[in-house]
Amino acid sequence: MKNLLTITLTSILVLGCTSTTSMSLKEKNSAYSKYVLDENLSNKDKVEGFKFSGWKSLSDNYLIITAVHKKDYLIETKGRCIDLNDSHGIKLNRSSNFAIYKLGDSISPVGLTSESKISDKCFIKSIYPITRLQTDYLVKIGKPVQSES
């Protein structure tokens, strides 16, 4: 009985030291916007020689896209891009296969099921070239933090 009580109290203590709350999409968007300002990221009108390799969802307004040579770009959309944060894929709607433009190009969230369809286009507001370290930092924003007592 004593061991059971000790194990229970230890479990509660360990669980109590782990933060399980995460930020809302609005809070994340504010944090990404602040990061852009704090880091003085430069907004590009276009990225030439861009061959899409992958992406990471951050919120319904921000995502990171990666080019073939592991160059990352923080993308901000014009307004909320519905279901982007929960999407399993994206489609780049672009005027050139080897470039991405701030004016005219867009992103569409795509689901995994056969019933899901491509959503409306989400137009690009800003394109920020970022480093791998910046990518790692941005991806961690809003994630629960594990801490020890």
Side-chain angles (χ1 to χ4, degrees):
M1 183 72 171
K2 220 178 204 185
N3 288 340
L4 181 62
L5 182 61
T6 303
I7 292 170
T8 304
L9 287 175
T10 303
S11 297
I12 291 171
L13 183 61
V14 169
L15 290 174
C17 293
T18 303
S19 173
T20 57
T21 60
S22 62
M23 299 168 77
S24 70
L25 290 177
K26 186 176 181 181
E27 291 170 324
K28 285 182 180 183
N29 285 336
S30 293
Y32 300 132
S33 180
K34 183 178 181 331
Y35 184 82
V36 167
L37 291 174
D38 290 350
E39 292 294 309
N40 198 25
L41 297 181
S42 68
N43 186 5
K44 301 290 183 189
D45 289 334
K46 64 183 174 182
V47 178
E48 295 183 292
F50 180 85
K51 286 184 74 177
F52 181 70
S53 173
W55 74 292
K56 292 175 180 68
S57 173
L58 298 176
S59 71
D60 281 349
N61 290 86
Y62 288 90
L63 70 150
I64 295 170
I65 58 175
T66 304
V68 185
H69 298 291
K70 299 194 188 246
K71 292 184 181 177
D72 290 344
Y73 300 90
L74 175 64
I75 304 293
E76 179 182 6
T77 61
K78 291 181 182 177
R80 183 170 176 242
C81 188
I82 297 171
D83 295 330
L84 178 63
N85 192 51
D86 298 320
S87 176
H88 297 286
I90 60 169
K91 178 180 186 290
L92 292 177
N93 310 299
R94 9 186 218 167
S95 51
S96 166
N97 286 335
F98 301 104
I100 189 163
Y101 295 89
K102 183 167 68 174
L103 262 79
D105 288 354
S106 63
I107 295 158
S108 298
V110 179
L112 278 180
T113 66
S114 59
E115 295 175 7
S116 62
K117 59 180 183 175
I118 295 175
S119 306
D120 292 331
K121 294 178 181 177
C122 306
F123 289 93
I124 297 171
K125 178 180 178 183
S126 306
I127 303 171
Y128 304 103
I130 55 176
T131 66
R132 197 48 72 148
L133 286 173
Q134 289 171 317
T135 294
D136 293 342
Y137 181 84
L138 288 165
V139 167
K140 290 177 185 172
I141 288 178
K143 302 276 182 178
V145 177
Q146 299 285 327
S147 61
E148 294 181 24
S149 292

